[in-house]
Amino acid sequence: MYRIQIFMRFRFILVILLFACTAHAQRVTVSGVVSDPAGLPIELATVQVKGTMNGTLSNEKGKYSLSIAKNDSVTIVFSCLGYNKTEISIQDPQEDMTLNMRMRPQSYELETTVITANRIQTNTMEKINTRQGRLSVDATGGSIESLVMTAGTGVSSTNELSTQYSVRGGNYNENIVYVNGIEVYRPLLIRSGQQEGLSFINPDMTESVQFSSGGFDARYGDKMSSVLDITYKKPEQFAGGVAGSMLGGNVYLESATGKFTQITGFRYKRGTTLLGTLDTKGDYDPSAIDLQTFMTYSFSPKLNLSFLGNFSENIYDFTPDTRETRQGSIYNVKKFTVYYDGMERDRFRTLFGAATLKYDMAEHADVALQVSGFQSREEETYDIAGEYFVSNVLDEKTEETIGTGAFLQHARNRLNATVLNASVVGNIGFNQNTVRWSLGVQTEDIKDRINEWELRDSTGYSMPYREDSLKVFSKLSSRNDIQSTRFFGYIQDTYKFRSGLGLFSLIAGIRGSYWNYNKEFILSPRATLGLVPAANQNLTFRLASGLYYQAPFYKEFRVVQADEHGNNYIVLNKDIKSQRSIHFVLGGDYGFKMKDGRPFKFTTEMYYKKLSNLVPYMVNNVRIWYSGENTSHGYATGIDTKLFGQFVPETDSWIGLSLMQAKQYIGDKKVPMPTDQLYNFTLYFTDYLPKSNKKLQANLRIIWAQGLPISSPGNTYNPLFHASPYRRVDLGMAYHLWGEENRYRNTSFWSNFKNIWIGIDVFNLLDIRNVNAYSWFTDVAGQTDPVPDKLTGRQWNVKLVAEF
C-alpha cells in the first residue's frame, strides 16, 4: 500500500510538471522597441494584451518583452501618456516574434516644433527637445544652454553674452555636462562673456538632451547643482545642413554606410556687431571656431566602437577707445567717461578626444570601456591704460567735473591643463531591475602662471598714496603646478513595479571617489522615488534626496596671500575638502487638455539644500574667484513652477516662475550667496500667421529676474546691494521658403534641400541696458565708488538655415 501511495504521488507530480512544460511550450514571446516618430525610445509605455491583465512596461531604452498564448489570436495595445493609443492584432502566433512600435504624439506639430510636455517623468531628469533651437532667437548663436535657460527648471542666467547658467543657488562651476556619457570641460581663465566663444555642445549633432536641477542619480559625477546629459546622433542616412547669420555660421554632414556612421560639424562665431552695442567702444575682433566629429563602427551586432573628437579655438582681440556710462536718478545723473590706450589679446585652445568600445553580452547586459583626454592651452594678455573723468550732468549741455584719474592694467596669464580618464561601465537588466555600475581613474596635470598688476592715479596721486614711492594698486602672481589622480566608481539600481496605488519607479545608488592630492575619500548615497497614480495617470509625483559633493578641481583651492610689500601671490591649499550639499526635492506634474484638445503640463518642484564645507567666492561677470578655504556653510531653498503647452494650437510654449533664497554663514554673519535671486520669470512663446499656411513663424523670449548681489573689492564676500533687475525681451521671426511640398515638384538644384528658412532676430527688443557687474574706482580719499558695466543694447540679426 505504501508503494502505491508513493507511485500515485509521483504520478501526480509528473502530471503537474508535464502540464507546466506543455503550457510553457504553448506560449510565445513578443518583444521589441517602443519609440517616437524621431526614433527616440519611449520609457514607461504600457504594452498589454487587450482585455486581460497580461502586460508589461518599456524600459528606458524603449524595450519590452511580453509572453502570450500560442495559436491564439490576440490584440496588443500600446499606450503612453501624451501619445495616441495603438492596437496591433496578431493572428495565431507560432513562434517568438519581434514587434517594434513607433507611437504618434496626440497632436501634430509644426516642422520645427515638437511637443515634449506630456512625457512621463518619474525621476528628476527632464527631457528637453532641441529641434526648435535652430530657429529660436538667441544672442549666443543658437546654443543648447540657451534653451536650457528657459526650458530647464530652476535655471537662471543674467548675461546674454555667456552660455553659463546657475541652478538653484549654485554657481557655474557646480554644473556638470556629459556628452555621450563622458564629462566635458570649459576653459578656466575666462573672466567675461565677451571672451567666451562657442560652448562644447554642437546643437546640429545633438539627438537628445536631459537635464536635472538637483536630486540626480549616482551615475552622474561629483557636482552640487545640476547635470546636463547630451547624446549625439547616430545617423541612419546621408543628410546635412548649413546656417549663417551676422553672429557666425555652421555646417554639418552625417552619413551611414554599412557598419560605419559619422556626423561632423563645424561652427564659426563672430560677435562683433553685438559687442558694438556695449558702452565701451573700440575695435572688437573676437573669433571662435569649433570642429567636432562623432563616428561609430560596428565590428559585429554585439561589438561596436565610437569616437568623439573636438578642436576649438577662441581668440579675443580688443583695442578699446572710449567708454561713456551714465547712472543715477533723473535728478542726479552722473557720467563716467574713459579714454583708453593699449589692447587685449586672449587665446583659448582646447582639444578633446574620447573612444568607447561597447560589447552587448546579452539582450539586457552590456559592458563598455571608455577612454578620454582633454587639453586646454589658455593665454590672457593685456596692457591697457585709461584716463577717466566723473562729472555731474546738470543739463543736456552742461557738465560739472567732480573727479579725474588714470589707471594702467597689465596681465600675462597662462594656464595649461591636461585631463586623462579611463573607465569601465556596465549595465545589466533582470526582472524589473536595471543595474548600472562603473569604475574609473582620472589624472590631472595643471600648470598655472599668473602675472597681473594695476596702477591707479586719482587727481595726480598714485593709489595707494605714498610720498616716498610709486606703488601699484594691486599685484597678483602665481606659479603653481599640480599633478593628481582620482579614483571613482558607482553602482545604482532602477526598480519599477506596480501596486494598487499605481506605477512606482525607485532609483537608488551610491557613488564614491578618492583624490590623492588631499587624501580625501567621499561617499555619496542618492535615491529617487517616482509614482504614477493608478487613479489618475495624468499626475506624476517624485521625491529625491541624496548627498552631493563638489570635488575641488583647481579654482576652489587657490589661496591669495600677501608678502611684506603688499604684493599678492597664490598658494595651493592641500587641506581643502569637498564642498557638500544634501538635496531634498519634492515635485510633481499634472497633464491636462483644453476643450479643443490642446495638451498642457504644469510642473512644480520644491527643494531644500543644506550646504556645508563651503568655499566662499565672488562673481564678477562670469569670473568666479574662490577664497580657497572651507570657511562657511549655508542653505538654498525655493520653489520652481513651469507650465508647458500649446498656448497657440500646434506650437510649443512655456512659462516659468522660480522663487528662491540662498544664504551662507561666514563666521557668525549671515549674508546672501553671490547667486541669491529672489525671483526669476521666464517665457518662451511661439506663434505663426494662420494665413501664411504656417510658413511665417515667430518666437518670443522673455527673462525678468532679480539682479545678483554685488560685492566691493574690499568687502569681497559680503554683498553690499543687489544689481538692478535683469529684464530682457528677444524676438525672432522666420519664414519657411522651401519644404517637402516643394521638393518633389521640382527637379532643379533646389530639390536637394528639405527645408530652407530665412529669419530676422531683434535682440533686446526694449533696449534695456542690463547690469551684471560693476567696475570700482577709488579717489585719493580712499572712497570706492561703483560704475555699472552695462550689457548689450538693441541689435538686429539676419539668418539663413537650410537642411538637405
Side-chain angles (χ1 to χ4, degrees), residues 737-762:
L737 293 173
W738 186 272
E740 294 287 348
E741 68 278 8
N742 308 103
R743 188 179 183 189
Y744 298 108
R745 297 200 301 260
N746 194 304
T747 58
S748 66
F749 167 77
W750 300 105
S751 64
N752 295 311
F753 290 90
K754 297 178 182 178
N755 294 288
I756 301 178
W757 294 83
I758 186 170
I760 298 177
D761 297 330
V762 186

PDB file of all heavy atoms in Angstrom, residues 737-762:
ATOM      1  N   LEU A 737      10.896  79.173 -46.593  1.00  0.00           N
ATOM      2  CA  LEU A 737      10.990  79.395 -48.035  1.00  0.00           C
ATOM      3  C   LEU A 737      10.777  78.128 -48.843  1.00  0.00           C
ATOM      4  O   LEU A 737      10.228  78.157 -49.954  1.00  0.00           O
ATOM      5  CB  LEU A 737      12.370  79.981 -48.384  1.00  0.00           C
ATOM      6  CG  LEU A 737      12.673  81.392 -47.883  1.00  0.00           C
ATOM      7  CD1 LEU A 737      14.128  81.724 -48.185  1.00  0.00           C
ATOM      8  CD2 LEU A 737      11.754  82.401 -48.541  1.00  0.00           C
ATOM      9  N   TRP A 738      11.221  77.001 -48.309  1.00  0.00           N
ATOM     10  CA  TRP A 738      11.247  75.763 -49.090  1.00  0.00           C
ATOM     11  C   TRP A 738      11.024  74.585 -48.160  1.00  0.00           C
ATOM     12  O   TRP A 738      11.598  74.528 -47.075  1.00  0.00           O
ATOM     13  CB  TRP A 738      12.598  75.637 -49.789  1.00  0.00           C
ATOM     14  CG  TRP A 738      12.713  74.474 -50.730  1.00  0.00           C
ATOM     15  CD1 TRP A 738      13.112  73.203 -50.428  1.00  0.00           C
ATOM     16  CD2 TRP A 738      12.443  74.470 -52.120  1.00  0.00           C
ATOM     17  NE1 TRP A 738      13.101  72.417 -51.534  1.00  0.00           N
ATOM     18  CE2 TRP A 738      12.690  73.163 -52.620  1.00  0.00           C
ATOM     19  CE3 TRP A 738      12.007  75.445 -53.027  1.00  0.00           C
ATOM     20  CZ2 TRP A 738      12.533  72.815 -53.944  1.00  0.00           C
ATOM     21  CZ3 TRP A 738      11.854  75.097 -54.350  1.00  0.00           C
ATOM     22  CH2 TRP A 738      12.107  73.790 -54.799  1.00  0.00           C
ATOM     23  N   GLY A 739      10.157  73.654 -48.576  1.00  0.00           N
ATOM     24  CA  GLY A 739       9.892  72.492 -47.756  1.00  0.00           C
ATOM     25  C   GLY A 739       9.642  71.252 -48.587  1.00  0.00           C
ATOM     26  O   GLY A 739       9.843  71.242 -49.815  1.00  0.00           O
ATOM     27  N   GLU A 740       9.207  70.201 -47.927  1.00  0.00           N
ATOM     28  CA  GLU A 740       8.980  68.928 -48.604  1.00  0.00           C
ATOM     29  C   GLU A 740       7.934  69.050 -49.712  1.00  0.00           C
ATOM     30  O   GLU A 740       8.003  68.367 -50.722  1.00  0.00           O
ATOM     31  CB  GLU A 740       8.539  67.875 -47.587  1.00  0.00           C
ATOM     32  CG  GLU A 740       9.595  67.500 -46.568  1.00  0.00           C
ATOM     33  CD  GLU A 740      10.706  66.649 -47.151  1.00  0.00           C
ATOM     34  OE1 GLU A 740      10.546  66.171 -48.287  1.00  0.00           O
ATOM     35  OE2 GLU A 740      11.737  66.472 -46.485  1.00  0.00           O
ATOM     36  N   GLU A 741       6.968  69.962 -49.521  1.00  0.00           N
ATOM     37  CA  GLU A 741       5.917  70.087 -50.527  1.00  0.00           C
ATOM     38  C   GLU A 741       6.461  70.652 -51.842  1.00  0.00           C
ATOM     39  O   GLU A 741       5.898  70.418 -52.913  1.00  0.00           O
ATOM     40  CB  GLU A 741       4.778  70.977 -50.011  1.00  0.00           C
ATOM     41  CG  GLU A 741       5.151  72.441 -49.824  1.00  0.00           C
ATOM     42  CD  GLU A 741       5.866  72.728 -48.511  1.00  0.00           C
ATOM     43  OE1 GLU A 741       6.207  71.756 -47.805  1.00  0.00           O
ATOM     44  OE2 GLU A 741       6.100  73.901 -48.212  1.00  0.00           O
ATOM     45  N   ASN A 742       7.586  71.417 -51.763  1.00  0.00           N
ATOM     46  CA  ASN A 742       8.197  71.934 -52.981  1.00  0.00           C
ATOM     47  C   ASN A 742       9.174  70.954 -53.593  1.00  0.00           C
ATOM     48  O   ASN A 742       9.377  70.930 -54.814  1.00  0.00           O
ATOM     49  CB  ASN A 742       8.950  73.240 -52.674  1.00  0.00           C
ATOM     50  CG  ASN A 742       8.093  74.243 -51.939  1.00  0.00           C
ATOM     51  OD1 ASN A 742       8.249  74.394 -50.733  1.00  0.00           O
ATOM     52  ND2 ASN A 742       7.192  74.924 -52.652  1.00  0.00           N
ATOM     53  N   ARG A 743       9.771  70.126 -52.735  1.00  0.00           N
ATOM     54  CA  ARG A 743      10.898  69.293 -53.146  1.00  0.00           C
ATOM     55  C   ARG A 743      10.536  68.314 -54.251  1.00  0.00           C
ATOM     56  O   ARG A 743      11.284  68.137 -55.212  1.00  0.00           O
ATOM     57  CB  ARG A 743      11.430  68.549 -51.917  1.00  0.00           C
ATOM     58  CG  ARG A 743      12.703  67.795 -52.159  1.00  0.00           C
ATOM     59  CD  ARG A 743      13.143  67.121 -50.867  1.00  0.00           C
ATOM     60  NE  ARG A 743      14.399  66.445 -51.026  1.00  0.00           N
ATOM     61  CZ  ARG A 743      14.925  65.644 -50.115  1.00  0.00           C
ATOM     62  NH1 ARG A 743      14.270  65.441 -48.977  1.00  0.00           N
ATOM     63  NH2 ARG A 743      16.083  65.049 -50.329  1.00  0.00           N
ATOM     64  N   TYR A 744       9.389  67.665 -54.120  1.00  0.00           N
ATOM     65  CA  TYR A 744       9.028  66.610 -55.056  1.00  0.00           C
ATOM     66  C   TYR A 744       8.317  67.145 -56.301  1.00  0.00           C
ATOM     67  O   TYR A 744       7.971  66.384 -57.187  1.00  0.00           O
ATOM     68  CB  TYR A 744       8.150  65.576 -54.340  1.00  0.00           C
ATOM     69  CG  TYR A 744       8.888  64.912 -53.210  1.00  0.00           C
ATOM     70  CD1 TYR A 744       8.574  65.193 -51.884  1.00  0.00           C
ATOM     71  CD2 TYR A 744       9.943  64.030 -53.463  1.00  0.00           C
ATOM     72  CE1 TYR A 744       9.270  64.604 -50.839  1.00  0.00           C
ATOM     73  CE2 TYR A 744      10.641  63.429 -52.430  1.00  0.00           C
ATOM     74  CZ  TYR A 744      10.304  63.724 -51.122  1.00  0.00           C
ATOM     75  OH  TYR A 744      10.998  63.143 -50.087  1.00  0.00           O
ATOM     76  N   ARG A 745       8.097  68.474 -56.345  1.00  0.00           N
ATOM     77  CA  ARG A 745       7.523  69.063 -57.548  1.00  0.00           C
ATOM     78  C   ARG A 745       8.573  69.812 -58.357  1.00  0.00           C
ATOM     79  O   ARG A 745       8.248  70.545 -59.278  1.00  0.00           O
ATOM     80  CB  ARG A 745       6.395  70.033 -57.154  1.00  0.00           C
ATOM     81  CG  ARG A 745       5.231  69.375 -56.467  1.00  0.00           C
ATOM     82  CD  ARG A 745       3.987  70.259 -56.543  1.00  0.00           C
ATOM     83  NE  ARG A 745       4.204  71.563 -55.913  1.00  0.00           N
ATOM     84  CZ  ARG A 745       3.779  71.854 -54.687  1.00  0.00           C
ATOM     85  NH1 ARG A 745       3.132  70.940 -53.972  1.00  0.00           N
ATOM     86  NH2 ARG A 745       3.979  73.042 -54.174  1.00  0.00           N
ATOM     87  N   ASN A 746       9.845  69.616 -57.974  1.00  0.00           N
ATOM     88  CA  ASN A 746      10.911  70.373 -58.615  1.00  0.00           C
ATOM     89  C   ASN A 746      12.105  69.465 -58.838  1.00  0.00           C
ATOM     90  O   ASN A 746      12.465  68.673 -57.973  1.00  0.00           O
ATOM     91  CB  ASN A 746      11.304  71.556 -57.704  1.00  0.00           C
ATOM     92  CG  ASN A 746      12.146  72.583 -58.424  1.00  0.00           C
ATOM     93  OD1 ASN A 746      13.194  72.251 -58.969  1.00  0.00           O
ATOM     94  ND2 ASN A 746      11.673  73.825 -58.426  1.00  0.00           N
ATOM     95  N   THR A 747      12.709  69.542 -60.000  1.00  0.00           N
ATOM     96  CA  THR A 747      13.867  68.707 -60.329  1.00  0.00           C
ATOM     97  C   THR A 747      15.140  69.519 -60.443  1.00  0.00           C
ATOM     98  O   THR A 747      16.156  69.019 -60.906  1.00  0.00           O
ATOM     99  CB  THR A 747      13.618  67.956 -61.643  1.00  0.00           C
ATOM    100  OG1 THR A 747      13.362  68.911 -62.687  1.00  0.00           O
ATOM    101  CG2 THR A 747      12.443  67.010 -61.502  1.00  0.00           C
ATOM    102  N   SER A 748      15.110  70.777 -60.043  1.00  0.00           N
ATOM    103  CA  SER A 748      16.284  71.639 -60.128  1.00  0.00           C
ATOM    104  C   SER A 748      17.212  71.396 -58.951  1.00  0.00           C
ATOM    105  O   SER A 748      17.018  70.496 -58.138  1.00  0.00           O
ATOM    106  CB  SER A 748      15.857  73.106 -60.164  1.00  0.00           C
ATOM    107  OG  SER A 748      15.246  73.460 -58.927  1.00  0.00           O
ATOM    108  N   PHE A 749      18.213  72.243 -58.855  1.00  0.00           N
ATOM    109  CA  PHE A 749      19.184  72.162 -57.764  1.00  0.00           C
ATOM    110  C   PHE A 749      18.502  72.224 -56.402  1.00  0.00           C
ATOM    111  O   PHE A 749      18.912  71.561 -55.452  1.00  0.00           O
ATOM    112  CB  PHE A 749      20.198  73.295 -57.911  1.00  0.00           C
ATOM    113  CG  PHE A 749      21.054  73.518 -56.694  1.00  0.00           C
ATOM    114  CD1 PHE A 749      22.116  72.672 -56.403  1.00  0.00           C
ATOM    115  CD2 PHE A 749      20.784  74.570 -55.817  1.00  0.00           C
ATOM    116  CE1 PHE A 749      22.893  72.871 -55.275  1.00  0.00           C
ATOM    117  CE2 PHE A 749      21.559  74.774 -54.694  1.00  0.00           C
ATOM    118  CZ  PHE A 749      22.618  73.924 -54.428  1.00  0.00           C
ATOM    119  N   TRP A 750      17.422  73.000 -56.297  1.00  0.00           N
ATOM    120  CA  TRP A 750      16.760  73.208 -55.015  1.00  0.00           C
ATOM    121  C   TRP A 750      16.067  71.954 -54.501  1.00  0.00           C
ATOM    122  O   TRP A 750      15.725  71.873 -53.316  1.00  0.00           O
ATOM    123  CB  TRP A 750      15.762  74.357 -55.126  1.00  0.00           C
ATOM    124  CG  TRP A 750      16.416  75.631 -55.517  1.00  0.00           C
ATOM    125  CD1 TRP A 750      16.384  76.235 -56.744  1.00  0.00           C
ATOM    126  CD2 TRP A 750      17.245  76.455 -54.692  1.00  0.00           C
ATOM    127  NE1 TRP A 750      17.127  77.386 -56.738  1.00  0.00           N
ATOM    128  CE2 TRP A 750      17.671  77.549 -55.485  1.00  0.00           C
ATOM    129  CE3 TRP A 750      17.667  76.385 -53.367  1.00  0.00           C
ATOM    130  CZ2 TRP A 750      18.496  78.544 -54.983  1.00  0.00           C
ATOM    131  CZ3 TRP A 750      18.494  77.371 -52.875  1.00  0.00           C
ATOM    132  CH2 TRP A 750      18.897  78.431 -53.677  1.00  0.00           C
ATOM    133  N   SER A 751      15.836  70.985 -55.372  1.00  0.00           N
ATOM    134  CA  SER A 751      15.182  69.756 -54.924  1.00  0.00           C
ATOM    135  C   SER A 751      16.047  68.956 -53.956  1.00  0.00           C
ATOM    136  O   SER A 751      15.567  68.022 -53.321  1.00  0.00           O
ATOM    137  CB  SER A 751      14.811  68.888 -56.124  1.00  0.00           C
ATOM    138  OG  SER A 751      15.981  68.457 -56.813  1.00  0.00           O
ATOM    139  N   ASN A 752      17.327  69.315 -53.830  1.00  0.00           N
ATOM    140  CA  ASN A 752      18.219  68.635 -52.885  1.00  0.00           C
ATOM    141  C   ASN A 752      17.975  69.085 -51.441  1.00  0.00           C
ATOM    142  O   ASN A 752      18.465  68.452 -50.507  1.00  0.00           O
ATOM    143  CB  ASN A 752      19.683  68.893 -53.250  1.00  0.00           C
ATOM    144  CG  ASN A 752      20.056  68.300 -54.586  1.00  0.00           C
ATOM    145  OD1 ASN A 752      19.782  67.136 -54.857  1.00  0.00           O
ATOM    146  ND2 ASN A 752      20.667  69.114 -55.456  1.00  0.00           N
ATOM    147  N   PHE A 753      17.235  70.163 -51.262  1.00  0.00           N
ATOM    148  CA  PHE A 753      17.043  70.718 -49.925  1.00  0.00           C
ATOM    149  C   PHE A 753      15.706  70.277 -49.360  1.00  0.00           C
ATOM    150  O   PHE A 753      14.684  70.300 -50.039  1.00  0.00           O
ATOM    151  CB  PHE A 753      17.108  72.247 -49.966  1.00  0.00           C
ATOM    152  CG  PHE A 753      18.479  72.785 -50.237  1.00  0.00           C
ATOM    153  CD1 PHE A 753      18.894  73.024 -51.545  1.00  0.00           C
ATOM    154  CD2 PHE A 753      19.353  73.040 -49.201  1.00  0.00           C
ATOM    155  CE1 PHE A 753      20.157  73.519 -51.807  1.00  0.00           C
ATOM    156  CE2 PHE A 753      20.619  73.538 -49.443  1.00  0.00           C
ATOM    157  CZ  PHE A 753      21.030  73.764 -50.751  1.00  0.00           C
ATOM    158  N   LYS A 754      15.725  69.868 -48.087  1.00  0.00           N
ATOM    159  CA  LYS A 754      14.498  69.501 -47.386  1.00  0.00           C
ATOM    160  C   LYS A 754      13.761  70.734 -46.888  1.00  0.00           C
ATOM    161  O   LYS A 754      12.544  70.837 -47.010  1.00  0.00           O
ATOM    162  CB  LYS A 754      14.818  68.590 -46.200  1.00  0.00           C
ATOM    163  CG  LYS A 754      15.445  67.263 -46.565  1.00  0.00           C
ATOM    164  CD  LYS A 754      15.769  66.469 -45.308  1.00  0.00           C
ATOM    165  CE  LYS A 754      16.441  65.155 -45.643  1.00  0.00           C
ATOM    166  NZ  LYS A 754      16.813  64.401 -44.404  1.00  0.00           N
ATOM    167  N   ASN A 755      14.512  71.657 -46.280  1.00  0.00           N
ATOM    168  CA  ASN A 755      13.916  72.879 -45.733  1.00  0.00           C
ATOM    169  C   ASN A 755      14.881  74.035 -45.881  1.00  0.00           C
ATOM    170  O   ASN A 755      16.107  73.866 -45.750  1.00  0.00           O
ATOM    171  CB  ASN A 755      13.581  72.707 -44.240  1.00  0.00           C
ATOM    172  CG  ASN A 755      12.503  71.695 -43.979  1.00  0.00           C
ATOM    173  OD1 ASN A 755      11.332  71.938 -44.268  1.00  0.00           O
ATOM    174  ND2 ASN A 755      12.881  70.542 -43.441  1.00  0.00           N
ATOM    175  N   ILE A 756      14.338  75.206 -46.151  1.00  0.00           N
ATOM    176  CA  ILE A 756      15.109  76.447 -46.170  1.00  0.00           C
ATOM    177  C   ILE A 756      14.305  77.503 -45.423  1.00  0.00           C
ATOM    178  O   ILE A 756      13.131  77.744 -45.735  1.00  0.00           O
ATOM    179  CB  ILE A 756      15.419  76.931 -47.599  1.00  0.00           C
ATOM    180  CG1 ILE A 756      16.206  75.875 -48.376  1.00  0.00           C
ATOM    181  CG2 ILE A 756      16.193  78.250 -47.553  1.00  0.00           C
ATOM    182  CD1 ILE A 756      16.499  76.260 -49.806  1.00  0.00           C
ATOM    183  N   TRP A 757      14.946  78.113 -44.438  1.00  0.00           N
ATOM    184  CA  TRP A 757      14.318  79.151 -43.635  1.00  0.00           C
ATOM    185  C   TRP A 757      15.140  80.430 -43.705  1.00  0.00           C
ATOM    186  O   TRP A 757      16.367  80.382 -43.743  1.00  0.00           O
ATOM    187  CB  TRP A 757      14.223  78.730 -42.168  1.00  0.00           C
ATOM    188  CG  TRP A 757      13.324  77.565 -41.891  1.00  0.00           C
ATOM    189  CD1 TRP A 757      13.634  76.244 -42.008  1.00  0.00           C
ATOM    190  CD2 TRP A 757      11.974  77.632 -41.462  1.00  0.00           C
ATOM    191  NE1 TRP A 757      12.551  75.474 -41.663  1.00  0.00           N
ATOM    192  CE2 TRP A 757      11.511  76.301 -41.327  1.00  0.00           C
ATOM    193  CE3 TRP A 757      11.089  78.674 -41.178  1.00  0.00           C
ATOM    194  CZ2 TRP A 757      10.228  75.990 -40.911  1.00  0.00           C
ATOM    195  CZ3 TRP A 757       9.807  78.363 -40.754  1.00  0.00           C
ATOM    196  CH2 TRP A 757       9.388  77.041 -40.630  1.00  0.00           C
ATOM    197  N   ILE A 758      14.474  81.571 -43.693  1.00  0.00           N
ATOM    198  CA  ILE A 758      15.145  82.859 -43.546  1.00  0.00           C
ATOM    199  C   ILE A 758      14.523  83.562 -42.348  1.00  0.00           C
ATOM    200  O   ILE A 758      13.297  83.501 -42.147  1.00  0.00           O
ATOM    201  CB  ILE A 758      15.035  83.734 -44.815  1.00  0.00           C
ATOM    202  CG1 ILE A 758      15.891  84.988 -44.647  1.00  0.00           C
ATOM    203  CG2 ILE A 758      13.588  84.072 -45.151  1.00  0.00           C
ATOM    204  CD1 ILE A 758      16.047  85.794 -45.921  1.00  0.00           C
ATOM    205  N   GLY A 759      15.353  84.164 -41.512  1.00  0.00           N
ATOM    206  CA  GLY A 759      14.838  84.737 -40.279  1.00  0.00           C
ATOM    207  C   GLY A 759      15.450  86.074 -39.927  1.00  0.00           C
ATOM    208  O   GLY A 759      16.534  86.438 -40.402  1.00  0.00           O
ATOM    209  N   ILE A 760      14.745  86.828 -39.097  1.00  0.00           N
ATOM    210  CA  ILE A 760      15.207  88.102 -38.560  1.00  0.00           C
ATOM    211  C   ILE A 760      15.011  88.064 -37.044  1.00  0.00           C
ATOM    212  O   ILE A 760      13.935  87.706 -36.561  1.00  0.00           O
ATOM    213  CB  ILE A 760      14.439  89.293 -39.159  1.00  0.00           C
ATOM    214  CG1 ILE A 760      14.663  89.377 -40.673  1.00  0.00           C
ATOM    215  CG2 ILE A 760      14.865  90.595 -38.499  1.00  0.00           C
ATOM    216  CD1 ILE A 760      13.864  90.484 -41.334  1.00  0.00           C
ATOM    217  N   ASP A 761      16.057  88.414 -36.311  1.00  0.00           N
ATOM    218  CA  ASP A 761      16.007  88.482 -34.859  1.00  0.00           C
ATOM    219  C   ASP A 761      16.180  89.926 -34.402  1.00  0.00           C
ATOM    220  O   ASP A 761      16.940  90.697 -35.020  1.00  0.00           O
ATOM    221  CB  ASP A 761      17.111  87.643 -34.220  1.00  0.00           C
ATOM    222  CG  ASP A 761      16.974  86.160 -34.538  1.00  0.00           C
ATOM    223  OD1 ASP A 761      15.830  85.705 -34.719  1.00  0.00           O
ATOM    224  OD2 ASP A 761      18.011  85.472 -34.618  1.00  0.00           O
ATOM    225  N   VAL A 762      15.503  90.265 -33.334  1.00  0.00           N
ATOM    226  CA  VAL A 762      15.726  91.538 -32.660  1.00  0.00           C
ATOM    227  C   VAL A 762      16.136  91.228 -31.234  1.00  0.00           C
ATOM    228  O   VAL A 762      15.317  90.811 -30.413  1.00  0.00           O
ATOM    229  CB  VAL A 762      14.471  92.434 -32.679  1.00  0.00           C
ATOM    230  CG1 VAL A 762      14.807  93.800 -32.083  1.00  0.00           C
ATOM    231  CG2 VAL A 762      13.931  92.589 -34.083  1.00  0.00           C
TER     232      VAL A 762
END
